[in-house]
Amino acid sequence: MREGFLVFGSPVIGDEEIEEVVDSMKSAWLGTGPKVAKFEKIFSEYKNVPYAAAVNSCTAALHLSLLAAGLKPGDEVITTPMTFCATVNAIIHSGATPVLADIDPLTMNIDPACIENKINAKTKAIIPVHFAGRPCDMNALCDIANRHGLRIIEDCAHAIETEYKGRKAGTFGDFGCFSFYVTKNIVTGEGGIVLANREEDFSRIKILALHGMSKDAWKRFSDEGYKHYQVVECGFKYNMMDLQAAIGIRQMAKIEEYWLRRKKIWEEYSAAFSDLPVTLPADIPSDIKHAYHLYTILIDEEKTGISRDEFLNAMHRLNIGTGVHYLSVPEHPYYQEAFGWKPEDYPNAMKIGRSTVSIPLSAKLTDKDVADVILAVKSILAR
Ligand SMILES: *Cc1c(COP(=O)(O)O)cnc(C)c1O
């Protein structure tokens, strides 16, 4: 058994990130300032889009996108049951009603055919989640949105590097929302960013993200002289800090290196586990770029003789951290009580949620860590 616990999703933090944060601290500009502006520029250039607004989480990014999309009480927003609760909570916070459409069991992404069945006169938007870093079927989703006049808000929390037929995730919809939480592919501690397609949506998000104060209010303490601000609507405190952006600026320089490392680990896992009685991630077609955010194994007790939860415990006993992405949203009591959702009504998401395990896939893993994970998985399933 390996010595020391292998933490699931631990990020790589280099000396460059540390020095950039120290630089912010020495300049005493800790809050929203020049480094946030620089991070926004780096990210928008990476995505090749004009408008990117940094915020303090992907949850905030989703909330603001829904508000800027004009969602109101009584409106419905369709999303996937195979996601983190934040996707659904953001819809509820916007005042709209979430509606779930089941997933394709192979890709684990929202199934366009299931969306069609849920559309009615109240439907105003779709939030697809590019699960594990694999893009949703954006041709089908954009076609549905066009035919029914719906807005698309992409939840790209897993999908910083993802591309679909040569086009980058987050640029298909009206909005693309990204997370830089500690376990994500690029980290700022807490943090997120919104890409907006249209200038007016971008301006609205900028205003909503900082108390509803008129644009560029953060510049009011700069050397350009005092500027009065005006509050033009009731906004939120969702701005990113320079301390966070400092980490992100240096992380973005390593995005390709980290991606290649995770791709290699992914391929090693797939080769090592090919003979095991478990379901591995679906093959990746050549016209997409997978972000390799999560490596999921499906444990079917009938084939393995061990339940998913027993497998999780066995991995932890061997000092390997794991994750579950995700128990389907309708498994949680709040949503059952608030919306009457039942897991059985979304059978593909329910089945995957009850059998899935995510094993470590961070660029931080050493060759020895990867060998330990492979040995642990094989030894448990060989019993
Ligand atoms: C992590 C995550 C979020 C929330 O991101 P935060 O930055 O932590 O708010 C939203 N959706 C999905 C699919 C996620 O994995």
Side-chain angles (χ1 to χ4, degrees):
M1 185 175 87
R2 67 173 271 130
E3 260 180 52
F5 190 71
L6 182 62
V7 176
F8 179 86
S10 186
V12 196
I13 301 295
D15 289 339
E16 298 86 346
E17 284 90 331
I18 293 167
E19 281 159 22
E20 196 71 41
V21 171
V22 169
D23 181 67
S24 284
M25 299 192 76
K26 286 188 174 157
S27 79
W29 195 301
L30 310 181
T32 306
K35 288 194 181 169
V36 169
K38 186 172 174 184
F39 181 63
E40 287 171 336
K41 184 160 183 287
I42 290 171
F43 200 81
S44 62
E45 282 171 5
Y46 174 73
K47 287 288 180 181
N48 203 8
V49 293
Y51 310 117
V55 288
N56 60 12
S57 71
C58 181
T59 308
L62 290 163
H63 185 199
L64 296 182
S65 298
L66 286 154
L67 295 176
L71 271 292
K72 312 179 293 306
D75 293 342
E76 293 185 359
V77 179
I78 298 176
T79 192
T80 167
M82 184 47 57
T83 186
F84 186 54
C85 57
T87 317
V88 176
N89 292 350
I91 297 171
I92 301 168
H93 289 313
S94 78
T97 303
V99 172
L100 301 179
D102 205 2
I103 56 169
D104 173 329
L106 267 185
T107 64
M108 304 188 196
N109 279 325
I110 195 164
D111 182 345
C114 296
I115 294 177
E116 295 266 11
N117 297 335
K118 300 285 176 128
I119 294 175
N120 62 45
K122 293 182 199 157
T123 311
K124 294 288 152 53
I126 308 171
I127 306 188
V129 178
H130 305 295
F131 183 80
R134 183 185 176 113
C136 294
D137 183 349
M138 293 314 295
N139 278 356
L141 295 185
C142 291
D143 175 58
I144 292 172
N146 286 338
R147 277 190 284 114
H148 295 277
L150 309 178
R151 305 202 79 185
I152 294 183
I153 297 161
E154 297 174 67
D155 181 336
C156 300
H158 301 178
I160 298 176
E161 302 91 341
T162 299
E163 292 177 15
Y164 173 84
K165 298 185 194 288
R167 187 163 157 192
K168 291 179 191 283
T171 69
F172 289 86
D174 301 279
F175 304 91
C177 302
F178 294 82
S179 175
F180 308 111
Y181 177 64
V182 288
T183 58
K184 303 290 158 79
N185 290 353
I186 292 291
V187 303
T188 61
E190 298 284 358
I193 207 163
V194 194
L195 307 183
N197 240 336
R198 302 191 307 192
E199 204 277 332
E200 62 262 40
D201 289 337
F202 172 68
S203 303
R204 180 97 195 280
I205 281 178
K206 277 288 204 185
I207 290 167
L208 283 169
L210 196 62
H211 304 297
M213 290 177 356
S214 51
K215 221 170 148 190
D216 293 338
W218 61 271
K219 284 187 183 160
R220 71 191 187 282
F221 300 122
S222 77
D223 56 10
E224 291 165 31
Y226 188 86
K227 288 201 175 62
H228 288 287
Y229 59 85
Q230 290 182 306
V231 177
V232 294
E233 62 180 311
C234 178
F236 301 86
K237 185 69 165 77
Y238 281 168
N239 53 309
M240 180 184 272
M241 299 194 286
D242 266 28
L243 281 176
Q244 297 166 310
I247 307 171
I249 287 167
R250 296 308 184 122
Q251 288 261 304
M252 283 301 289
K254 301 178 211 164
I255 190 165
E256 189 68 12
E257 179 195 324
Y258 291 170
W259 179 81
L260 285 168
R261 175 67 186 145
R262 293 194 310 278
K263 179 175 197 282
K264 183 155 179 285
I265 297 168
W266 177 289
E267 285 161 1
E268 282 173 26
Y269 284 160
S270 291
F273 304 147
S274 62
D275 293 335
L276 295 179
V278 293
T279 307
L280 302 181
D283 288 341
I284 301 170
S286 59
D287 62 350
I288 68 170
K289 180 174 180 178
H290 200 297
Y292 302 114
H293 177 57
L294 297 172
Y295 193 95
T296 58
I297 297 177
L298 304 183
I299 308 285
D300 176 350
E301 191 169 354
E302 281 179 15
K303 289 189 203 145
T304 55
I306 177 174
S307 74
R308 189 271 305 275
D309 288 1
E310 284 163 354
F311 180 84
L312 290 171
N313 289 332
M315 288 289 278
H316 283 240
R317 277 198 297 275
L318 293 174
N319 266 343
I320 311 281
T322 53
V324 172
H325 303 89
Y326 300 92
L327 277 182
S328 74
V329 172
E331 299 274 10
H332 297 286
Y334 170 74
Y335 307 106
Q336 293 173 1
E337 285 157 26
F339 304 109
W341 291 343
K342 296 199 270 308
E344 304 75 38
D345 293 339
Y346 312 90
N348 293 334
M350 178 183 76
K351 191 156 180 270
I352 286 167
R354 291 180 182 181
S355 59
T356 191
V357 176
S358 304
I359 59 174
L361 182 67
S362 157
K364 190 175 182 170
L365 300 184
T366 63
D367 289 346
K368 165 83 168 55
D369 294 335
V370 174
D372 288 344
V373 174
I374 290 173
L375 194 66
V377 170
K378 284 186 157 177
S379 72
I380 295 164
L381 293 174
R383 268 180 216 150

